[in-house]
Amino acid sequence: MKTPTRSVLVITESPKPFAMAMSLLRAEGYQVTFTTGEHLASDVENVPAMVISELAMPDIDGLKICRRLRRDKRMQQTPIMLVGDLSAYSSIVADGMRCGASAYVQKPFTFAAMASRVMEMIDSPPVRNAWA
């Protein structure tokens, strides 16, 4: 299936923390879709240009989502950004790299920094494991 050039799939239990950053992306012409981990199909129908997944969710964690997406051949080169709490940073970096995540952003994040990072990851050549 064809990859939309500037689409972002955000997997979270609550879109509220991401809303302002995603509004900035929409203003720049990006298509943004929200879903929960529970409602994420095992096979993503439309391959996004990038996936942002929250780490801590009640039904499934971001690492499991990352592993699931990486098993899909169409998603193997898609940048995946994990977003998590400051307290989880040290152990998550190694775990995220092992499961195939491209980046990790700590909460709290600034809206402009998040939007800028997403634009950079989509519009620049692919880089795996560009941890911040």
Side-chain angles (χ1 to χ4, degrees), residues 42-53:
S42 57
D43 292 318
V44 177
E45 187 175 322
N46 295 310
V47 177
M50 181 171 183
V51 174
I52 300 171
S53 178

Side-chain angles (χ1 to χ4, degrees), residues 115-132:
S116 175
R117 186 78 185 272
V118 170
M119 286 188 271
E120 178 184 310
M121 291 180 74
I122 291 175
D123 297 337
S124 297
V127 176
R128 287 252 346 230
N129 298 323
W131 292 82

Side-chain angles (χ1 to χ4, degrees), residues 34-84:
F34 287 94
T35 189
T36 62
E38 179 181 19
H39 293 103
L40 179 67
S42 57
D43 292 318
V44 177
E45 187 175 322
N46 295 310
V47 177
M50 181 171 183
V51 174
I52 300 171
S53 178
E54 192 149 17
L55 279 166
M57 294 180 281
D59 50 335
I60 186 170
D61 70 58
L63 295 174
K64 288 180 184 173
I65 288 171
C66 187
R67 286 185 197 99
R68 180 187 296 174
L69 294 174
R70 288 294 183 228
R71 283 192 297 267
D72 183 336
K73 290 185 190 289
R74 301 167 305 145
M75 298 287 293
Q76 289 177 350
Q77 298 301 312
T78 302
I80 299 174
M81 177 188 288
L82 298 176
V83 179

